[in-house]
Amino acid sequence: MSAVWCEAAWLPGRGVVDRVRAEVNAAGIVTSVRSGVPAREADLHVEGVAFPAAANAHSHAFHRVLRGRTHAMGVGSFWTWRQQMYQAAGALTPELYEELATAVFAEMVVTGWTSVAEFHYVHHRPDGTPYAGEDGRHAMELALARAAVNARIRLTLLDTCYLAGGIGQPLSAEQARFGDAGPEAWLERLQSLREEVARRFSPDEVTVAAALHSVRAVPAEAFEVIARDLPAELPLHIHLSEQPAENEACVQATGMTPTGLLHRHGLVTPRLSAVHATHLAEADIAILGAGHTTVVMCPTTEADLGDGIGPAAALRDAGARIALGTDQHAVVDPWLEMRALEHGERLGSGQRGWFPPDALHTAVSDAGAAAQGRRPPGLAPGRYCDLMAVDPASLRTVGSRRDQLALTATAQDVGTVVVGGRLAARKGIHATLGDPARLLATALAKLDSEGS
């Protein structure tokens, strides 16, 4: 048994209180919490104000390659950005991906994210054939798992079904490494991966769940097979209605919106996480809400790509749970994602106060953990002792009420990150890997060389 003592901490249902001490078991789970008590000599001391750590509900680790490199094209769109993304994917090998992902995951940890749902579809060699060697057909997936363990981030590896290049279109040459022979082949490979990961890693470190890339990449006839045969206990994620063109193509091909297609096959349930859900009809909002789904908003990515502002408050009011993710990592900062969620509603409505600070913390922590099928982080018995503590007296935060730091703090203010009751990062430096910027610089240089 170990203990963490916080100078101040946000507690569920109580707000920010002073001098909080939590006892933590060997699995990193909180067993007891007391406030208004002194620290003990052996306790891990956490300065500032500690909040439940962030749970990243949507990530593509290799997209980090594109940060700051896609803005010289003038007028562009998601579709022109996508071509550059394919080029980045083409340069990956298991060795390079492990190095890059270690750096990306370390960046997440030092900014406050302590778990991540990695939406992974770079499965095979560039020509679509499996890797050989010790790790075999799961070489890319196991590279990501090792990267997460090295970075001390909890990984939910979303093995993604990607079967088509668009509605009614075959995979292109640059998409070949994403694909499987059909839904049955994907389900078989998914089961094999689950068994291999369970053999090698603790579920507190790495678990495997499922994703369907989108209605563009999974043919309508495959949904019936997947709905019937996908294990019921697995979380399921999908990119949903990210672009109007996706909706139009789906309606033309099936007579239904993407949400309607999922609903027809019984996939709109509490285990579903719909990513983006930016362009929804009122009927879609009602279906997702009635299904008590999680909707994963990625506000900084949606802004970077010009995707639009999704109906977060309407979805919440209909019964959906809102979570947050970093997606393409144009920004890796849970505080800015929280703020952008509220700001999007303000910009769309002309009113303030759609997501108060406690709702923002719930979205970035509890809802993200639920989307991963994990226990939540924070200071209450039964939670993981995963924390992110911010300085309440920085240039950005000084004068803020402590319970409103979600609207003023940024990742620059994160002083201490705790994972499972152990120190993971301090002032932007990873406890075991050092400066993530150095790791990223090395990995990006190697990828640039490989792709040139």
Side-chain angles (χ1 to χ4, degrees):
M1 189 74 71
S2 60
V4 175
W5 183 86
C6 302
E7 188 175 49
W10 184 87
L11 301 181
R14 296 182 57 188
V16 177
V17 299
D18 293 318
R19 298 183 299 154
V20 176
R21 186 174 186 271
E23 293 190 338
V24 185
N25 67 18
I29 298 167
V30 176
T31 59
S32 66
V33 178
R34 297 176 61 199
S35 60
V37 297
R40 300 180 186 178
E41 185 176 353
D43 293 352
L44 172 61
H45 286 228
V46 177
E47 297 179 347
V49 183
F51 292 89
N56 192 341
H58 190 66
S59 162
H60 302 288
F62 79 90
H63 289 192
R64 176 62 179 80
V65 175
L66 302 176
R67 184 190 295 177
R69 299 182 175 195
T70 64
H71 305 285
M73 64 181 74
V75 176
S77 68
F78 166 84
W79 306 103
T80 53
W81 170 89
R82 188 175 70 160
Q83 290 305 121
Q84 294 180 280
M85 180 270 287
Y86 286 154
Q87 294 171 16
L92 296 173
T93 65
E95 296 76 20
L96 282 175
Y97 205 7
E98 182 173 348
E99 186 170 355
L100 174 65
T102 298
V104 174
F105 292 154
E107 180 181 11
M108 290 184 197
V109 169
V110 302
T111 59
W113 306 96
T114 63
S115 66
V116 59
E118 180 63 25
F119 200 106
H120 167 69
Y121 50 83
V122 188
H123 301 303
H124 313 298
R125 296 177 187 270
D127 64 0
T129 59
Y131 281 95
E134 180 183 358
D135 292 339
R137 68 197 297 205
H138 304 308
M140 294 297 273
E141 291 76 23
L142 293 172
L144 284 168
R146 289 190 296 270
V149 172
N150 289 338
R152 303 220 0 236
I153 196 167
R154 305 182 195 277
L155 173 66
T156 300
L157 182 58
L158 299 171
D159 193 86
T160 301
C161 183
Y162 200 126
L163 304 176
I167 295 177
Q169 301 174 20
L171 292 170
S172 65
E174 57 201 356
Q175 296 168 324
R177 70 185 312 181
F178 307 160
D180 291 290
E184 296 89 353
W186 171 66
L187 287 163
E188 187 278 326
R189 188 176 56 74
L190 171 65
Q191 181 58 30
S192 173
L193 176 62
R194 293 179 68 198
E195 293 169 0
E196 188 65 19
V197 166
R199 186 176 69 82
R200 297 192 186 203
F201 302 96
S202 160
D204 289 323
E205 295 176 322
V206 183
T207 59
V208 176
L212 311 178
H213 181 272
S214 60
V215 298
R216 303 190 312 273
V218 179
E221 58 270 21
F223 279 89
E224 182 175 353
V225 175
I226 292 166
R228 182 188 68 222
D229 295 340
L230 185 68
E233 72 273 14
L234 285 187
L236 177 65
H237 291 225
I238 186 171
H239 294 127
L240 189 74
S241 294
E242 184 176 4
Q243 298 293 323
E246 172 188 325
N247 291 345
E248 293 162 8
C250 189
V251 170
Q252 184 174 4
T254 70
M256 292 171 282
T257 65
T259 299
L261 183 63
L262 290 175
H263 185 49
R264 176 183 180 182
H265 291 288
L267 292 171
V268 181
T269 69
R271 75 160 169 176
L272 181 70
S273 289
V275 182
H276 301 304
T278 308
H279 302 282
L280 299 177
E282 287 188 12
D284 297 332
I285 295 172
I287 290 170
L288 292 169
H292 301 294
T293 62
T294 297
V295 175
V296 183
M297 300 291 187
C298 306
T300 64
T301 286
E302 289 144 11
D304 181 76
L305 296 179
D307 286 346
I309 300 171
L315 284 159
R316 176 202 60 195
D317 293 345
R321 175 165 43 195
I322 306 300
L324 293 168
T326 59
D327 195 0
Q328 57 135 340
H329 315 306
V331 175
V332 175
D333 186 330
W335 303 87
L336 291 186
E337 298 295 349
M338 283 191 280
R339 193 128 73 249
L341 177 65
E342 167 65 14
H343 285 176
E345 291 297 321
R346 293 183 184 188
L347 288 169
S349 68
Q351 297 179 351
R352 307 171 81 222
W354 293 92
F355 288 89
D358 60 341
L360 294 175
H361 284 292
T362 297
V364 86
S365 57
D366 290 33
Q372 298 175 40
R374 291 195 178 275
R375 67 176 70 234
L379 291 174
R383 291 175 174 252
Y384 282 127
C385 189
D386 290 6
L387 309 171
M388 54 179 180
V390 295
D391 179 1
S394 75
L395 182 62
R396 290 158 296 279
T397 62
V398 64
S400 302
R401 287 181 48 176
R402 296 186 300 179
D403 60 357
Q404 294 186 19
L405 286 166
L407 279 304
T408 59
T410 72
Q412 289 177 282
D413 303 308
V414 175
T416 303
V417 179
V418 175
V419 178
R422 298 168 53 210
L423 179 68
R426 186 93 74 182
K427 295 184 178 179
I429 302 299
H430 195 279
T432 56
L433 297 175
D435 186 358
R438 174 182 56 81
L439 301 177
L440 284 162
T442 301
L444 290 169
K446 290 181 181 180
L447 279 162
D448 288 344
S449 176
E450 185 74 18
S452 61

